[in-house]
Amino acid sequence: MSSAADATWCARTGLAAGGTSFEALNHPGQYLRHYADNVYLARSGGPNAWDTAMSFAADATWAADQPALWRSSVLLATDRRQSLRVTTWGHTDRYLRHADSLAFTEVVGSGSSSLLKQDATYTLRRGLADSSCYSFESVNYPGQFLRHADSRVRNAPDDGSALFRQDATLCARPGLGGTGVTFESINIPGAYLRHYASQVFIASGNGAGDQYDRPQNLSADSSWAVAAPWAP
């Protein structure tokens, strides 16, 4: 088999919206795909674990004209203000906000106070620990970021430590609930930004004695709509 052919890829319109997919010249129908932090030649629905059809289109689509986002499979605009809206049925009028340094969800609407709208708005930045992921900087407390500590998510100032930067870095995935975006902790793989009882946690759904970590509704509660900012 020719090594030149093995190293040649044909650029295709992205299998997912936007970006570019790369089809192998000598293996038609197989694409360059990332899976579990590794990169493979993969065919959707094929016999290998990395051929799984789940997230195949997103994982096989690359932003060739953007900085590398190999840890994230959803491309989000950075240095822009955004609000995170709950997608769980019956709670879609709630948004992530901070109060007394802790992250909660609360109903936000046009008649809400200016303070609440600011608390519910963050500037999306390249990940502090890895530029292929994301960090959320508070709009009304510049220099403070969402980070997890003992599973609870909170606002905290960047102290420059490696631990803080990892705790404040989340990688974007297609929403586990079938809509929106799921944010996975970079330093606790398999744990996601999740709301529970109006509070926000990093949770994996393993149900290890903590109610917020129960598996029920994990997919829906860990899926967020990246929405227009309440404080533009």
Side-chain angles (χ1 to χ4, degrees):
M1 184 177 294
S2 168
S3 60
D6 287 346
T8 301
W9 303 86
C10 302
R12 310 297 189 205
T13 300
L15 297 177
T20 303
S21 293
F22 295 95
E23 184 178 14
L25 175 68
N26 53 350
H27 292 279
Q30 297 193 45
Y31 294 86
L32 187 70
R33 189 254 180 104
H34 68 86
Y35 177 81
D37 294 344
N38 295 300
V39 180
Y40 298 92
L41 176 65
R43 180 190 302 276
S44 181
N48 305 299
W50 57 84
D51 292 322
T52 177
M54 182 178 296
S55 299
F56 186 91
D59 293 349
T61 300
W62 304 83
D65 59 344
Q66 298 288 336
L69 292 175
W70 69 278
R71 286 187 182 274
S72 291
S73 48
V74 174
L75 178 64
L76 301 173
T78 54
D79 301 325
R80 294 185 184 179
R81 294 186 175 193
Q82 305 282 10
S83 293
L84 290 182
R85 181 175 60 79
V86 171
T87 64
T88 306
W89 184 87
H91 301 280
T92 56
D93 55 353
R94 303 184 72 89
Y95 291 78
L96 187 151
R97 63 84 56 99
H98 64 84
D100 297 325
S101 297
L102 293 174
F104 298 89
T105 66
E106 188 167 332
V107 175
V108 185
S110 58
S112 297
S113 69
S114 175
L115 176 61
L116 175 54
K117 290 178 179 179
Q118 291 180 34
D119 288 349
T121 304
Y122 285 82
T123 302
L124 194 61
R125 305 293 191 193
R126 291 273 177 217
L128 296 178
D130 190 309
S131 64
S132 68
C133 297
Y134 303 95
S135 294
F136 291 86
E137 184 178 11
S138 172
V139 161
N140 50 352
Y141 289 91
Q144 292 194 20
F145 293 81
L146 285 180
R147 64 87 57 97
H148 65 85
D150 297 324
S151 299
R152 190 70 166 86
V153 175
R154 63 199 70 218
N155 260 24
D158 181 3
D159 62 10
S161 68
L163 177 60
F164 178 92
R165 295 189 165 221
Q166 291 176 352
D167 288 348
T169 299
L170 301 163
C171 302
R173 314 281 184 233
L176 295 175
T179 188
V181 181
T182 291
F183 294 97
E184 182 177 12
S185 169
I186 196 172
N187 56 348
I188 308 181
Y192 306 99
L193 187 71
R194 190 241 181 113
H195 68 87
Y196 178 79
S198 300
Q199 302 179 60
V200 182
F201 300 89
I202 288 293
S204 60
N206 62 21
D210 296 302
Q211 284 295 307
Y212 67 82
D213 210 18
R214 65 180 188 170
Q216 294 89 340
N217 295 329
L218 175 71
S219 295
D221 294 348
S222 299
S223 298
W224 303 83
V226 180
W230 280 108

